């Protein structure tokens, strides 16, 4: 079962620009505007990856739910009320519903449903006098939509398959330190490359066998696909044979391989492919014919045909770091702290899978971009995409007219759940909004309203784009004199342009 690592955003970004923040950010996360809600006192154990089950289906426009994210609902329509009632009573997956994004295809104008969604567990609920139901749910696991239908009561249902999440991977440092950066053997041709011995591995930080974070070779291979495992094992065969030759006489090895200090033949070889030049012209020493073949006894045990089957030896360390989930988690957490000014992310760095979902659920980008993140399989791939987005994210633009509304530095965290969160209005529409202390090109309509405010102590007014008059969100103004910030903006993620550069 996945253990959540909660982060409380106590220190808000943009606090200095707004003169300090006195608002208690935990209030917004309580969703007190829903009134008193009862705890279900039920927690469903996580389902096995690949499990197929039937659940009531909620399709929401402008909302992308991630595991561990909170989703409030005000259920008004009778068919969806019936879905909630069924979810509370069902045996296979009690208190569980499926949440999936519905959107309008920009090319055809037709309404479509995403194929990847997230199960949500009903944590709190309340039956109102008018028959409606207020519900607070929590995202659990990703799923693929297999088929959907409407039952006799008119409630949407779906057959879903739980996504089997991969485990975060770590590079086995010992294997990286022992092997050469690249070896390619062809008939009659051997590219001569230097080996990395233990002293060099220690020098560059790859040979620490006592590193508590390093994975064993067995656990590393267990996470590889069959193709990757065969490549890895064949690479180790070549590495072991080369290591045996090292153990006898280092000076002989240097003479056999013509090691050139201070320059990596791997870099030369890679550059030759990029430039189209002959590798020999860039300093890669080629030995052709029998006279150039190594004469060590170890090499006599193996024919060159074995080397022909090894397309590449073990990759250098920087290649592994590109897919090392823990290294990527450290980078993503550092970037996230710079942008959001979040508290310590240490608990999440130790759980890269949870970190990838946390950042994706709180990243203030468009809903289509967040749906893209939800559909990515693989922790390292999702983290790499998030790092790219965090490094390029700067501008907040209107989706309809591309008008620049704000910049990254204008973000303000007004909820303990982060800079972006989901809230539901009295009519049952759920909005995911990002909060800003400053925005441009917006026009406020109407007088401030105190009732049903998502942020206790603030009144809300509708805000539209001054250029295209599309409703982009709301302006929240303080109702108490000592409350800071005095005002801030809430912008709907569904109305943000995909281009954030």
């Amino acid at each position: 079962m996945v253990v959540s690592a909660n982060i409380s955003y106590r220190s808000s970004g943009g606090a200095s620009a707004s003169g300090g923040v006195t608002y208690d950010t935990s209030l917004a996360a309580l969703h007190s505007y829903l009134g008193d809600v009862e705890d279900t006192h039920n927690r469903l154990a996580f389902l096995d990856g690949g499990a197929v089950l039937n659940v009531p289906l909620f399709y929401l426009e402008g909302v992308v739910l991630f595991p561990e994210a909170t989703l409030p609902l005000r259920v008004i329509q009778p068919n969806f009320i019936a879905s909630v009632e069924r979810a509370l009573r069902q045996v296979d997956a009690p208190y569980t519903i499926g949440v999936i994004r519905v959107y309008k295809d920009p090319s055809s104008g037709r309404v479509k449903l995403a194929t990847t969604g997230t199960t949500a567990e009903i944590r709190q609920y309340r039956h109102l006098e008018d028959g409606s139901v207020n519900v607070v749910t929590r995202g659990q696991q990703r799923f693929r939509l297999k088929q959907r239908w409407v039952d006799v009561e008119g409630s949407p249902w779906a057959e879903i398959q739980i996504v089997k999440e991969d485990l975060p991977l770590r590079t086995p440092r010992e294997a990286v330190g022992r092997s050469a950066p690249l070896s390619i053997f062809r008939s009659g041709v051997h590219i001569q490359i230097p080996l990395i011995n233990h002293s060099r591995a220690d020098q560059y930080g790859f040979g620490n066998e006592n590193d508590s974070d390093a994975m064993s070779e067995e656990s590393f291979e267990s996470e590889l696909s069959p193709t990757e495992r065969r490549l890895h094992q064949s690479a180790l065969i070549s590495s072991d044979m080369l290591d045996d030759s090292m153990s006898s006489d280092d000076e002989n090895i240097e003479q056999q391989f013509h090691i050139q200090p201070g320059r990596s033949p791997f870099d030369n070889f890679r550059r030759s492919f990029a430039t189209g030049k002959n590798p020999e012209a860039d300093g890669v020493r080629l030995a052709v014919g029998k006279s150039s073949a190594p004469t060590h006894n170890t090499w006599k045990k193996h024919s060159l045909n074995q080397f022909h089957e090894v397309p590449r030896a073990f990759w250098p360390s920087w290649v592994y770091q590109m897919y090392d989930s823990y290294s990527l988690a450290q980078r993503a957490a550092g970037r996230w702290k710079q942008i959001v000014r979040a508290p310590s992310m240490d608990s999440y760095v130790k759980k890269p899978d949870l970190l990838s979902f946390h950042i994706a659920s709180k990243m203030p980008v468009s809903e289509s971009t967040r749906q893209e993140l939800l559909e990515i399989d693989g922790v390292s791939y999702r983290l790499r995409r998030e790092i790219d987005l965090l490094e390029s994210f700067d501008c907040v633009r209107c989706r309809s007219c591309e008008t620049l509304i704000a910049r990254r530095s204008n973000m303000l965290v007004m909820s303990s759940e982060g800079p972006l969160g989901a809230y539901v209005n009295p009519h049952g529409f759920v909005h995911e909004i990002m909060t800003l202390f400053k925005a441009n090109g917006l026009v406020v309509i109407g007088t401030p309203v105190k009732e049903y405010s998502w942020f206790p102590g603030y009144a809300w007014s509708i805000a539209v784009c001054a250029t295209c008059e599309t409703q982009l969100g709301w302006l929240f103004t303080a109702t108490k004199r000592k409350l800071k910030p005095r005002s801030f903006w809430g912008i709907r993620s569904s109305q943000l342009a995909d281009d954030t550069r």
Side-chain angles (χ1 to χ4, degrees):
M1 185 168 180
V2 178
V3 179
S4 61
N6 295 322
I7 288 182
S8 178
Y9 291 85
R10 292 289 181 181
S11 58
S12 298
S16 59
S18 58
V21 173
T22 62
Y23 179 71
D24 184 358
T25 58
S26 64
L27 296 177
L30 297 176
H31 300 280
S32 57
Y33 55 89
L34 293 175
D36 295 332
V37 288
E38 301 177 13
D39 198 313
T40 61
H41 298 289
N42 184 75
R43 298 296 178 263
L44 176 66
F46 277 63
L47 300 170
D48 294 334
V52 177
L53 66 155
N54 298 334
V55 294
L57 185 65
F58 277 66
Y59 35 86
L60 301 175
E61 184 178 3
V63 176
V64 181
L65 179 65
F66 285 84
E68 296 296 311
T70 300
L71 174 65
L73 297 171
R74 178 170 172 78
V75 188
I76 297 176
Q77 297 175 307
N79 56 338
F80 285 103
I81 294 176
S83 297
V84 173
E85 298 293 344
R86 292 278 297 276
L88 295 175
R89 300 192 307 266
Q90 62 187 351
V91 178
D92 294 340
Y95 298 87
T96 301
I97 61 175
V99 177
I100 204 162
R101 170 179 172 249
V102 61
Y103 62 99
K104 184 177 291 186
D105 190 340
S107 58
S108 63
R110 299 179 59 183
V111 176
K112 292 187 175 182
L113 265 69
T115 58
T116 302
T118 304
T119 61
E121 184 183 50
I122 299 176
R123 296 288 183 91
Q124 297 172 310
Y125 71 98
R126 178 193 181 193
H127 292 279
L128 304 180
E129 295 181 357
D130 60 0
S132 61
V133 182
N134 287 343
V135 176
V136 178
T137 69
R138 185 83 168 177
Q140 292 287 94
Q141 294 173 275
R142 295 192 306 146
F143 67 79
R144 307 289 189 209
L145 181 64
K146 295 178 68 68
Q147 59 177 329
R148 59 187 178 91
W149 66 90
V150 178
D151 66 6
V152 293
E153 297 180 349
S155 301
W157 279 75
E159 181 184 48
I160 64 173
Q161 184 172 29
I162 301 298
V163 174
K164 184 177 182 180
E165 304 289 358
D166 66 336
L167 296 176
L169 297 179
R170 179 179 289 282
T171 301
R173 294 187 180 182
E174 181 181 350
V176 174
R178 282 184 174 179
S179 59
L182 181 66
S183 294
I184 297 181
F185 297 90
R186 296 178 181 175
S187 178
V189 178
H190 169 58
I191 298 178
Q192 300 175 353
I193 58 177
L195 300 174
I196 303 178
N197 56 33
H198 289 289
S199 60
R200 293 184 181 178
D202 294 336
Q203 178 183 354
Y204 293 104
F206 299 138
N208 186 3
E209 298 182 2
N210 296 323
D211 190 347
S212 59
D213 292 333
M215 292 179 62
S216 66
E217 189 66 33
E218 291 79 6
S219 61
F220 172 75
E221 289 194 9
S222 66
E223 303 302 332
L224 299 178
S225 66
T227 302
E228 293 171 333
R229 190 178 295 111
R230 287 195 299 270
L231 176 60
H232 173 63
Q233 291 174 347
S234 63
L236 290 184
I237 292 174
S238 64
S239 178
D240 290 340
M241 288 185 292
L242 295 178
D243 284 340
D244 289 341
S245 65
M246 286 179 57
S247 61
S248 61
D249 189 349
D250 289 342
E251 294 181 358
N252 290 338
I253 292 300
E254 291 185 0
Q255 293 176 2
Q256 291 173 2
F257 284 86
H258 305 286
I259 297 176
Q260 298 179 4
R263 190 170 187 181
S264 170
F266 172 73
D267 294 333
N268 296 331
F269 188 76
R270 181 180 57 183
R271 184 160 53 249
S272 70
F273 275 102
T275 60
K277 296 180 180 179
N278 188 317
E280 199 170 272
D282 271 346
V284 180
R285 302 286 300 276
L286 300 180
V288 183
K290 293 182 179 179
S291 60
S292 62
T295 58
H296 193 273
N297 292 335
T298 305
W299 286 60
K300 296 179 181 179
K301 301 177 184 178
H302 307 278
S303 66
L304 286 179
N305 291 331
Q306 289 179 285
F307 295 108
H308 297 163
E309 299 174 359
V310 184
R312 292 178 179 85
F314 218 17
W315 298 104
S317 60
W318 63 266
V319 175
Y320 283 95
Q321 289 177 357
M322 294 173 61
Y323 297 94
D324 186 315
S325 299
Y326 293 87
S327 296
L328 292 170
Q330 191 72 46
R331 287 181 56 195
R335 216 19 115 162
W336 185 249
K337 289 174 66 175
Q338 290 178 2
I339 295 175
V340 184
R341 285 178 279 276
S344 174
M345 304 286 288
D346 293 343
S347 58
Y348 267 113
V349 170
K350 298 176 182 178
K351 301 179 178 66
D353 50 345
L354 294 185
L355 176 67
S356 70
F357 287 135
H358 176 80
I359 293 180
S361 67
K362 305 304 176 187
M363 187 179 296
V365 292
S366 68
E367 59 169 308
S368 58
T369 301
R370 296 172 68 240
Q371 179 66 42
E372 173 196 339
L373 294 174
L374 182 67
E375 294 177 357
I376 294 177
D377 291 328
V379 178
S380 61
Y381 293 101
R382 189 180 303 113
L383 285 170
R384 289 182 64 191
R385 176 61 175 144
E386 289 168 354
I387 292 172
D388 290 340
L389 290 171
L390 291 173
E391 290 177 346
S392 62
F393 169 62
D394 182 51
C395 299
V396 179
R397 301 180 185 274
C398 173
R399 188 182 70 176
S400 301
C401 64
E402 297 288 335
T403 296
L404 179 63
I405 302 169
R407 295 192 179 275
R408 180 178 69 186
S409 56
N410 301 139
M411 283 196 310
L412 175 71
V413 178
M414 290 297 292
S415 171
S416 59
E417 293 192 340
L420 186 144
Y423 305 89
V424 60
N425 69 12
H427 306 289
F429 293 100
V430 181
H431 298 285
E432 288 184 329
I433 67 169
M434 63 176 296
T435 47
L436 306 165
F437 73 86
K438 178 182 178 181
N440 303 311
L442 299 180
V443 176
V444 179
I445 298 177
T447 58
V449 178
K450 297 181 181 180
E451 289 75 19
Y452 212 86
S453 176
W454 298 329
F455 302 90
Y458 287 86
W460 55 271
S461 304
I462 296 176
V464 301
C465 177
T467 304
C468 64
E469 299 184 354
T470 300
Q471 183 187 353
L472 294 181
W474 298 265
L475 173 66
F476 293 88
T477 54
T479 59
K480 299 178 181 180
R481 182 173 300 179
K482 295 183 179 181
L483 199 59
K484 293 183 180 181
R486 297 302 301 163
S487 65
F488 64 93
W489 303 86
I491 305 299
R492 300 160 62 193
S493 65
S494 61
Q495 298 303 317
L496 299 181
D498 291 332
D499 185 10
T500 59
R501 294 171 296 178

